[in-house]
Amino acid sequence: MKQLIALIFLLSISNNCQANAIAIDAVKSNQKIIHFLADKSLTDFKITYQQLELGDICGFVGCHWRKLVSVIVTSKSANAPSTTILALVEGIVPNNQNKPTVTFVTLKNSLPNTLVFID
């Protein structure tokens, strides 16, 4: 029984690590990101990728996961502002046939203020 639990634990770690690498790689290989970064050399700009796990659902077939990936582009000049691009990345692990989907997120300046009561 202990061996079965250890195997399930190792498989869940493996799936999570695969999803981490897959999410950022999917954003890096997206044509919109490639086009946006084409004129930004690494000597003049610092480009960082960060991700936030939004949850996953695992079953017998595999795991459906969602991550929010940010691409932060900062000029290396003094007092330079940063440009941040957000992308929602979703996929299934293991799935060798379909690439994860990348959807770009647009934030609005004025979000509605709502108060939610939780009992």
Side-chain angles (χ1 to χ4, degrees), residues 80-111:
S82 294
T83 301
T84 303
I85 301 169
L86 297 175
L88 177 66
V89 184
E90 300 179 276
I92 297 176
V93 173
N95 189 350
N96 298 330
Q97 297 175 353
N98 296 329
K99 290 183 175 183
T101 60
V102 177
T103 307
F104 292 97
V105 178
T106 303
L107 299 178
K108 297 180 180 179
N109 287 338
S110 60
L111 296 175

PDB file of all heavy atoms in Angstrom, residues 80-111:
ATOM      1  N   ALA A  80      13.342  52.976 -16.704  1.00  0.00           N
ATOM      2  CA  ALA A  80      12.542  52.434 -17.796  1.00  0.00           C
ATOM      3  C   ALA A  80      11.305  51.727 -17.262  1.00  0.00           C
ATOM      4  O   ALA A  80      11.378  50.959 -16.305  1.00  0.00           O
ATOM      5  CB  ALA A  80      13.378  51.449 -18.598  1.00  0.00           C
ATOM      6  N   PRO A  81      10.161  51.975 -17.872  1.00  0.00           N
ATOM      7  CA  PRO A  81       8.952  51.254 -17.458  1.00  0.00           C
ATOM      8  C   PRO A  81       8.970  49.820 -17.983  1.00  0.00           C
ATOM      9  O   PRO A  81       9.713  49.504 -18.919  1.00  0.00           O
ATOM     10  CB  PRO A  81       7.828  52.052 -18.110  1.00  0.00           C
ATOM     11  CG  PRO A  81       8.462  52.658 -19.309  1.00  0.00           C
ATOM     12  CD  PRO A  81       9.887  52.936 -18.920  1.00  0.00           C
ATOM     13  N   SER A  82       8.151  48.995 -17.377  1.00  0.00           N
ATOM     14  CA  SER A  82       8.018  47.610 -17.811  1.00  0.00           C
ATOM     15  C   SER A  82       6.734  47.438 -18.602  1.00  0.00           C
ATOM     16  O   SER A  82       5.754  48.127 -18.364  1.00  0.00           O
ATOM     17  CB  SER A  82       7.994  46.665 -16.613  1.00  0.00           C
ATOM     18  OG  SER A  82       9.215  46.677 -15.942  1.00  0.00           O
ATOM     19  N   THR A  83       6.764  46.495 -19.517  1.00  0.00           N
ATOM     20  CA  THR A  83       5.565  46.078 -20.235  1.00  0.00           C
ATOM     21  C   THR A  83       5.260  44.660 -19.783  1.00  0.00           C
ATOM     22  O   THR A  83       6.138  43.797 -19.784  1.00  0.00           O
ATOM     23  CB  THR A  83       5.795  46.103 -21.758  1.00  0.00           C
ATOM     24  OG1 THR A  83       6.147  47.426 -22.143  1.00  0.00           O
ATOM     25  CG2 THR A  83       4.562  45.657 -22.504  1.00  0.00           C
ATOM     26  N   THR A  84       4.021  44.428 -19.380  1.00  0.00           N
ATOM     27  CA  THR A  84       3.620  43.103 -18.910  1.00  0.00           C
ATOM     28  C   THR A  84       2.512  42.564 -19.804  1.00  0.00           C
ATOM     29  O   THR A  84       1.526  43.245 -20.069  1.00  0.00           O
ATOM     30  CB  THR A  84       3.122  43.153 -17.458  1.00  0.00           C
ATOM     31  OG1 THR A  84       4.148  43.716 -16.641  1.00  0.00           O
ATOM     32  CG2 THR A  84       2.781  41.771 -16.945  1.00  0.00           C
ATOM     33  N   ILE A  85       2.689  41.335 -20.253  1.00  0.00           N
ATOM     34  CA  ILE A  85       1.695  40.635 -21.057  1.00  0.00           C
ATOM     35  C   ILE A  85       1.232  39.437 -20.238  1.00  0.00           C
ATOM     36  O   ILE A  85       2.054  38.679 -19.719  1.00  0.00           O
ATOM     37  CB  ILE A  85       2.293  40.174 -22.397  1.00  0.00           C
ATOM     38  CG1 ILE A  85       2.803  41.372 -23.180  1.00  0.00           C
ATOM     39  CG2 ILE A  85       1.272  39.390 -23.205  1.00  0.00           C
ATOM     40  CD1 ILE A  85       3.627  41.005 -24.380  1.00  0.00           C
ATOM     41  N   LEU A  86      -0.085  39.257 -20.132  1.00  0.00           N
ATOM     42  CA  LEU A  86      -0.641  38.125 -19.387  1.00  0.00           C
ATOM     43  C   LEU A  86      -1.294  37.149 -20.350  1.00  0.00           C
ATOM     44  O   LEU A  86      -1.982  37.560 -21.283  1.00  0.00           O
ATOM     45  CB  LEU A  86      -1.681  38.608 -18.377  1.00  0.00           C
ATOM     46  CG  LEU A  86      -1.176  39.518 -17.277  1.00  0.00           C
ATOM     47  CD1 LEU A  86      -2.338  40.010 -16.428  1.00  0.00           C
ATOM     48  CD2 LEU A  86      -0.170  38.784 -16.409  1.00  0.00           C
ATOM     49  N   ALA A  87      -1.091  35.855 -20.085  1.00  0.00           N
ATOM     50  CA  ALA A  87      -1.685  34.821 -20.927  1.00  0.00           C
ATOM     51  C   ALA A  87      -2.220  33.699 -20.046  1.00  0.00           C
ATOM     52  O   ALA A  87      -1.554  33.262 -19.104  1.00  0.00           O
ATOM     53  CB  ALA A  87      -0.662  34.270 -21.904  1.00  0.00           C
ATOM     54  N   LEU A  88      -3.428  33.257 -20.342  1.00  0.00           N
ATOM     55  CA  LEU A  88      -4.014  32.098 -19.685  1.00  0.00           C
ATOM     56  C   LEU A  88      -3.671  30.879 -20.521  1.00  0.00           C
ATOM     57  O   LEU A  88      -3.974  30.834 -21.717  1.00  0.00           O
ATOM     58  CB  LEU A  88      -5.532  32.255 -19.578  1.00  0.00           C
ATOM     59  CG  LEU A  88      -6.285  31.080 -18.983  1.00  0.00           C
ATOM     60  CD1 LEU A  88      -5.908  30.883 -17.517  1.00  0.00           C
ATOM     61  CD2 LEU A  88      -7.782  31.278 -19.115  1.00  0.00           C
ATOM     62  N   VAL A  89      -3.007  29.902 -19.911  1.00  0.00           N
ATOM     63  CA  VAL A  89      -2.573  28.704 -20.621  1.00  0.00           C
ATOM     64  C   VAL A  89      -3.287  27.509 -20.008  1.00  0.00           C
ATOM     65  O   VAL A  89      -3.285  27.331 -18.792  1.00  0.00           O
ATOM     66  CB  VAL A  89      -1.042  28.522 -20.531  1.00  0.00           C
ATOM     67  CG1 VAL A  89      -0.593  27.327 -21.347  1.00  0.00           C
ATOM     68  CG2 VAL A  89      -0.319  29.775 -20.988  1.00  0.00           C
ATOM     69  N   GLU A  90      -3.907  26.689 -20.866  1.00  0.00           N
ATOM     70  CA  GLU A  90      -4.637  25.511 -20.417  1.00  0.00           C
ATOM     71  C   GLU A  90      -4.183  24.304 -21.218  1.00  0.00           C
ATOM     72  O   GLU A  90      -3.875  24.417 -22.397  1.00  0.00           O
ATOM     73  CB  GLU A  90      -6.136  25.694 -20.600  1.00  0.00           C
ATOM     74  CG  GLU A  90      -6.721  26.862 -19.839  1.00  0.00           C
ATOM     75  CD  GLU A  90      -8.197  27.007 -20.087  1.00  0.00           C
ATOM     76  OE1 GLU A  90      -8.557  27.633 -21.092  1.00  0.00           O
ATOM     77  OE2 GLU A  90      -8.973  26.477 -19.271  1.00  0.00           O
ATOM     78  N   GLY A  91      -4.160  23.150 -20.569  1.00  0.00           N
ATOM     79  CA  GLY A  91      -3.768  21.944 -21.266  1.00  0.00           C
ATOM     80  C   GLY A  91      -4.101  20.702 -20.495  1.00  0.00           C
ATOM     81  O   GLY A  91      -4.659  20.751 -19.399  1.00  0.00           O
ATOM     82  N   ILE A  92      -3.761  19.567 -21.096  1.00  0.00           N
ATOM     83  CA  ILE A  92      -3.995  18.257 -20.493  1.00  0.00           C
ATOM     84  C   ILE A  92      -2.673  17.516 -20.441  1.00  0.00           C
ATOM     85  O   ILE A  92      -1.919  17.519 -21.401  1.00  0.00           O
ATOM     86  CB  ILE A  92      -5.019  17.449 -21.308  1.00  0.00           C
ATOM     87  CG1 ILE A  92      -6.374  18.166 -21.301  1.00  0.00           C
ATOM     88  CG2 ILE A  92      -5.163  16.041 -20.758  1.00  0.00           C
ATOM     89  CD1 ILE A  92      -7.416  17.497 -22.161  1.00  0.00           C
ATOM     90  N   VAL A  93      -2.368  16.909 -19.308  1.00  0.00           N
ATOM     91  CA  VAL A  93      -1.176  16.080 -19.151  1.00  0.00           C
ATOM     92  C   VAL A  93      -1.643  14.680 -18.788  1.00  0.00           C
ATOM     93  O   VAL A  93      -2.462  14.528 -17.890  1.00  0.00           O
ATOM     94  CB  VAL A  93      -0.265  16.630 -18.039  1.00  0.00           C
ATOM     95  CG1 VAL A  93       0.877  15.674 -17.763  1.00  0.00           C
ATOM     96  CG2 VAL A  93       0.269  17.990 -18.405  1.00  0.00           C
ATOM     97  N   PRO A  94      -1.211  13.600 -19.383  1.00  0.00           N
ATOM     98  CA  PRO A  94      -0.343  13.569 -20.558  1.00  0.00           C
ATOM     99  C   PRO A  94      -1.175  13.708 -21.825  1.00  0.00           C
ATOM    100  O   PRO A  94      -2.249  13.158 -21.930  1.00  0.00           O
ATOM    101  CB  PRO A  94       0.300  12.198 -20.476  1.00  0.00           C
ATOM    102  CG  PRO A  94      -0.722  11.332 -19.818  1.00  0.00           C
ATOM    103  CD  PRO A  94      -1.470  12.242 -18.865  1.00  0.00           C
ATOM    104  N   ASN A  95      -0.687  14.459 -22.771  1.00  0.00           N
ATOM    105  CA  ASN A  95      -1.338  14.611 -24.062  1.00  0.00           C
ATOM    106  C   ASN A  95      -0.276  15.019 -25.067  1.00  0.00           C
ATOM    107  O   ASN A  95       0.169  16.149 -25.083  1.00  0.00           O
ATOM    108  CB  ASN A  95      -2.454  15.647 -24.003  1.00  0.00           C
ATOM    109  CG  ASN A  95      -3.271  15.666 -25.276  1.00  0.00           C
ATOM    110  OD1 ASN A  95      -2.916  15.046 -26.263  1.00  0.00           O
ATOM    111  ND2 ASN A  95      -4.360  16.377 -25.246  1.00  0.00           N
ATOM    112  N   ASN A  96       0.119  14.082 -25.907  1.00  0.00           N
ATOM    113  CA  ASN A  96       1.174  14.339 -26.875  1.00  0.00           C
ATOM    114  C   ASN A  96       0.640  14.864 -28.200  1.00  0.00           C
ATOM    115  O   ASN A  96       1.407  15.246 -29.063  1.00  0.00           O
ATOM    116  CB  ASN A  96       1.982  13.058 -27.119  1.00  0.00           C
ATOM    117  CG  ASN A  96       2.664  12.588 -25.858  1.00  0.00           C
ATOM    118  OD1 ASN A  96       3.020  13.388 -25.013  1.00  0.00           O
ATOM    119  ND2 ASN A  96       2.823  11.285 -25.722  1.00  0.00           N
ATOM    120  N   GLN A  97      -0.701  14.881 -28.373  1.00  0.00           N
ATOM    121  CA  GLN A  97      -1.261  15.256 -29.660  1.00  0.00           C
ATOM    122  C   GLN A  97      -1.642  16.725 -29.734  1.00  0.00           C
ATOM    123  O   GLN A  97      -1.474  17.352 -30.769  1.00  0.00           O
ATOM    124  CB  GLN A  97      -2.477  14.391 -29.964  1.00  0.00           C
ATOM    125  CG  GLN A  97      -2.129  12.926 -30.094  1.00  0.00           C
ATOM    126  CD  GLN A  97      -3.363  12.070 -30.278  1.00  0.00           C
ATOM    127  OE1 GLN A  97      -4.467  12.563 -30.175  1.00  0.00           O
ATOM    128  NE2 GLN A  97      -3.163  10.794 -30.541  1.00  0.00           N
ATOM    129  N   ASN A  98      -2.169  17.283 -28.668  1.00  0.00           N
ATOM    130  CA  ASN A  98      -2.650  18.660 -28.698  1.00  0.00           C
ATOM    131  C   ASN A  98      -1.752  19.563 -27.868  1.00  0.00           C
ATOM    132  O   ASN A  98      -1.380  19.222 -26.755  1.00  0.00           O
ATOM    133  CB  ASN A  98      -4.082  18.741 -28.148  1.00  0.00           C
ATOM    134  CG  ASN A  98      -5.059  17.988 -29.009  1.00  0.00           C
ATOM    135  OD1 ASN A  98      -4.895  17.890 -30.214  1.00  0.00           O
ATOM    136  ND2 ASN A  98      -6.085  17.431 -28.391  1.00  0.00           N
ATOM    137  N   LYS A  99      -1.442  20.727 -28.437  1.00  0.00           N
ATOM    138  CA  LYS A  99      -0.674  21.729 -27.695  1.00  0.00           C
ATOM    139  C   LYS A  99      -1.609  22.417 -26.706  1.00  0.00           C
ATOM    140  O   LYS A  99      -2.814  22.480 -26.924  1.00  0.00           O
ATOM    141  CB  LYS A  99      -0.096  22.764 -28.652  1.00  0.00           C
ATOM    142  CG  LYS A  99       0.998  22.261 -29.536  1.00  0.00           C
ATOM    143  CD  LYS A  99       1.529  23.403 -30.366  1.00  0.00           C
ATOM    144  CE  LYS A  99       2.711  22.982 -31.195  1.00  0.00           C
ATOM    145  NZ  LYS A  99       3.277  24.110 -31.946  1.00  0.00           N
ATOM    146  N   PRO A 100      -1.061  22.974 -25.644  1.00  0.00           N
ATOM    147  CA  PRO A 100      -1.907  23.752 -24.737  1.00  0.00           C
ATOM    148  C   PRO A 100      -2.428  25.005 -25.437  1.00  0.00           C
ATOM    149  O   PRO A 100      -1.798  25.527 -26.353  1.00  0.00           O
ATOM    150  CB  PRO A 100      -0.979  24.124 -23.587  1.00  0.00           C
ATOM    151  CG  PRO A 100       0.361  23.625 -23.920  1.00  0.00           C
ATOM    152  CD  PRO A 100       0.313  22.882 -25.191  1.00  0.00           C
ATOM    153  N   THR A 101      -3.589  25.475 -24.990  1.00  0.00           N
ATOM    154  CA  THR A 101      -4.149  26.680 -25.579  1.00  0.00           C
ATOM    155  C   THR A 101      -3.646  27.900 -24.821  1.00  0.00           C
ATOM    156  O   THR A 101      -3.513  27.874 -23.599  1.00  0.00           O
ATOM    157  CB  THR A 101      -5.690  26.660 -25.548  1.00  0.00           C
ATOM    158  OG1 THR A 101      -6.111  26.556 -24.187  1.00  0.00           O
ATOM    159  CG2 THR A 101      -6.235  25.502 -26.338  1.00  0.00           C
ATOM    160  N   VAL A 102      -3.356  28.967 -25.556  1.00  0.00           N
ATOM    161  CA  VAL A 102      -2.877  30.219 -24.980  1.00  0.00           C
ATOM    162  C   VAL A 102      -3.897  31.301 -25.330  1.00  0.00           C
ATOM    163  O   VAL A 102      -4.186  31.526 -26.499  1.00  0.00           O
ATOM    164  CB  VAL A 102      -1.491  30.601 -25.540  1.00  0.00           C
ATOM    165  CG1 VAL A 102      -1.032  31.940 -24.994  1.00  0.00           C
ATOM    166  CG2 VAL A 102      -0.469  29.513 -25.223  1.00  0.00           C
ATOM    167  N   THR A 103      -4.437  31.948 -24.300  1.00  0.00           N
ATOM    168  CA  THR A 103      -5.389  33.039 -24.470  1.00  0.00           C
ATOM    169  C   THR A 103      -4.831  34.263 -23.764  1.00  0.00           C
ATOM    170  O   THR A 103      -4.503  34.196 -22.578  1.00  0.00           O
ATOM    171  CB  THR A 103      -6.756  32.672 -23.859  1.00  0.00           C
ATOM    172  OG1 THR A 103      -7.185  31.423 -24.386  1.00  0.00           O
ATOM    173  CG2 THR A 103      -7.786  33.737 -24.152  1.00  0.00           C
ATOM    174  N   PHE A 104      -4.723  35.374 -24.475  1.00  0.00           N
ATOM    175  CA  PHE A 104      -4.177  36.577 -23.870  1.00  0.00           C
ATOM    176  C   PHE A 104      -5.250  37.279 -23.053  1.00  0.00           C
ATOM    177  O   PHE A 104      -6.411  37.338 -23.437  1.00  0.00           O
ATOM    178  CB  PHE A 104      -3.577  37.495 -24.931  1.00  0.00           C
ATOM    179  CG  PHE A 104      -2.343  36.897 -25.540  1.00  0.00           C
ATOM    180  CD1 PHE A 104      -2.399  36.203 -26.729  1.00  0.00           C
ATOM    181  CD2 PHE A 104      -1.124  37.001 -24.886  1.00  0.00           C
ATOM    182  CE1 PHE A 104      -1.274  35.628 -27.267  1.00  0.00           C
ATOM    183  CE2 PHE A 104       0.013  36.431 -25.425  1.00  0.00           C
ATOM    184  CZ  PHE A 104      -0.062  35.743 -26.620  1.00  0.00           C
ATOM    185  N   VAL A 105      -4.835  37.815 -21.915  1.00  0.00           N
ATOM    186  CA  VAL A 105      -5.737  38.430 -20.950  1.00  0.00           C
ATOM    187  C   VAL A 105      -5.588  39.940 -21.036  1.00  0.00           C
ATOM    188  O   VAL A 105      -4.472  40.461 -21.041  1.00  0.00           O
ATOM    189  CB  VAL A 105      -5.409  37.947 -19.515  1.00  0.00           C
ATOM    190  CG1 VAL A 105      -6.298  38.616 -18.502  1.00  0.00           C
ATOM    191  CG2 VAL A 105      -5.503  36.433 -19.431  1.00  0.00           C
ATOM    192  N   THR A 106      -6.715  40.642 -21.078  1.00  0.00           N
ATOM    193  CA  THR A 106      -6.722  42.098 -21.076  1.00  0.00           C
ATOM    194  C   THR A 106      -7.363  42.561 -19.773  1.00  0.00           C
ATOM    195  O   THR A 106      -8.478  42.157 -19.446  1.00  0.00           O
ATOM    196  CB  THR A 106      -7.531  42.649 -22.265  1.00  0.00           C
ATOM    197  OG1 THR A 106      -6.974  42.114 -23.461  1.00  0.00           O
ATOM    198  CG2 THR A 106      -7.473  44.154 -22.303  1.00  0.00           C
ATOM    199  N   LEU A 107      -6.662  43.395 -19.032  1.00  0.00           N
ATOM    200  CA  LEU A 107      -7.193  43.932 -17.787  1.00  0.00           C
ATOM    201  C   LEU A 107      -7.855  45.268 -18.061  1.00  0.00           C
ATOM    202  O   LEU A 107      -7.356  46.081 -18.835  1.00  0.00           O
ATOM    203  CB  LEU A 107      -6.084  44.094 -16.751  1.00  0.00           C
ATOM    204  CG  LEU A 107      -5.360  42.813 -16.344  1.00  0.00           C
ATOM    205  CD1 LEU A 107      -4.252  43.140 -15.357  1.00  0.00           C
ATOM    206  CD2 LEU A 107      -6.329  41.829 -15.724  1.00  0.00           C
ATOM    207  N   LYS A 108      -8.958  45.513 -17.397  1.00  0.00           N
ATOM    208  CA  LYS A 108      -9.667  46.779 -17.544  1.00  0.00           C
ATOM    209  C   LYS A 108      -9.276  47.702 -16.400  1.00  0.00           C
ATOM    210  O   LYS A 108      -8.983  47.263 -15.295  1.00  0.00           O
ATOM    211  CB  LYS A 108     -11.173  46.547 -17.533  1.00  0.00           C
ATOM    212  CG  LYS A 108     -11.642  45.705 -18.702  1.00  0.00           C
ATOM    213  CD  LYS A 108     -13.123  45.506 -18.658  1.00  0.00           C
ATOM    214  CE  LYS A 108     -13.567  44.654 -19.839  1.00  0.00           C
ATOM    215  NZ  LYS A 108     -15.001  44.412 -19.815  1.00  0.00           N
ATOM    216  N   ASN A 109      -9.286  48.995 -16.673  1.00  0.00           N
ATOM    217  CA  ASN A 109      -8.931  49.973 -15.645  1.00  0.00           C
ATOM    218  C   ASN A 109      -9.970  50.072 -14.550  1.00  0.00           C
ATOM    219  O   ASN A 109      -9.650  50.273 -13.395  1.00  0.00           O
ATOM    220  CB  ASN A 109      -8.723  51.357 -16.275  1.00  0.00           C
ATOM    221  CG  ASN A 109      -7.436  51.424 -17.042  1.00  0.00           C
ATOM    222  OD1 ASN A 109      -6.524  50.649 -16.796  1.00  0.00           O
ATOM    223  ND2 ASN A 109      -7.358  52.344 -17.985  1.00  0.00           N
ATOM    224  N   SER A 110     -11.225  49.962 -14.885  1.00  0.00           N
ATOM    225  CA  SER A 110     -12.271  50.109 -13.877  1.00  0.00           C
ATOM    226  C   SER A 110     -13.035  48.797 -13.743  1.00  0.00           C
ATOM    227  O   SER A 110     -13.833  48.439 -14.594  1.00  0.00           O
ATOM    228  CB  SER A 110     -13.228  51.237 -14.252  1.00  0.00           C
ATOM    229  OG  SER A 110     -13.824  50.957 -15.495  1.00  0.00           O
ATOM    230  N   LEU A 111     -12.747  48.085 -12.695  1.00  0.00           N
ATOM    231  CA  LEU A 111     -13.452  46.842 -12.409  1.00  0.00           C
ATOM    232  C   LEU A 111     -14.595  47.140 -11.445  1.00  0.00           C
ATOM    233  O   LEU A 111     -14.458  47.990 -10.562  1.00  0.00           O
ATOM    234  CB  LEU A 111     -12.495  45.817 -11.791  1.00  0.00           C
ATOM    235  CG  LEU A 111     -11.349  45.363 -12.691  1.00  0.00           C
ATOM    236  CD1 LEU A 111     -10.420  44.446 -11.923  1.00  0.00           C
ATOM    237  CD2 LEU A 111     -11.887  44.639 -13.908  1.00  0.00           C
TER     238      LEU A 111
END
